[in-house]
Amino acid sequence: MKARISVLTLCVDDLERALRFYRDGLGLATLGIIGQEFKHGAVAFFDLQPGLKLALWPRESLAHDSGIARRGSASPDFTIGHNVRSEAEVLATMAQAEAAGATIVKPAQKTFWGGFAGYFQDLDGHLWEVVYNQAFLPED
């Protein structure tokens, strides 16, 4: 198998609310909710970088599509890392997320490995790490 991850899908409780958080609060570009004409088809896509999209999909739709019973809301079993170019950008991104309704679970601070990072949870409990790491600077 070649590693070709092209879509990260976050299951959400309220698609409209999640769309507003990511589009209006965090400023991610999207065409909005598509597929509403199909039962269990409503989804919102966001372009993250070339070849990688973020999808928001209702939990009940994934349960229906996969055949796996819904077990409640998401727990922070993994994080989504958002690397930025400076400590100031970490602080600005954390403030933007909080203003959009995110919960700051760990304020931005120096890390033990020499970076600078903080964590927030989106409206559905998905855990994001905003991090400045000189070894992993984004190209833009």
Side-chain angles (χ1 to χ4, degrees):
M1 178 175 135
K2 287 189 176 184
R4 288 193 181 110
I5 297 172
S6 57
V7 178
L8 298 173
T9 301
L10 299 180
C11 291
V12 299
D13 292 318
D14 183 329
L15 186 55
E16 290 282 347
R17 179 181 77 151
L19 172 69
R20 287 189 304 272
F21 175 80
Y22 282 96
R23 181 192 59 206
D24 305 336
L26 296 184
L28 299 182
T30 181
L31 297 175
I33 297 173
I34 61 170
Q36 295 182 72
E37 67 274 22
F38 305 107
K39 186 173 184 175
H40 302 291
V43 62
F45 289 104
F46 303 83
D47 289 322
L48 298 179
Q49 61 194 42
L52 182 61
K53 293 185 182 297
L54 172 68
L56 302 178
W57 204 23
R59 289 184 204 287
E60 62 192 41
S61 296
L62 178 63
H64 172 79
D65 194 55
S66 68
I68 297 172
R70 185 176 167 188
R71 295 186 300 203
S73 58
S75 61
D77 294 331
F78 69 97
T79 65
I80 300 168
H82 177 65
N83 284 21
V84 297
R85 299 190 66 72
S86 69
E87 291 183 14
E89 195 173 347
V90 170
L91 294 171
T93 303
M94 295 288 287
Q96 181 181 13
E98 185 173 35
T103 300
I104 303 301
V105 295
K106 183 177 182 182
Q109 56 193 265
K110 297 275 186 195
T111 64
F112 70 91
W113 46 266
F116 190 77
Y119 287 92
F120 71 84
Q121 283 184 302
D122 73 7
L123 303 177
D124 289 279
H126 302 291
L127 191 60
W128 285 74
E129 179 187 24
V130 182
V131 60
Y132 166 64
N133 179 343
Q134 280 189 315
F136 295 106
L137 293 177
E139 293 180 16
D140 61 333

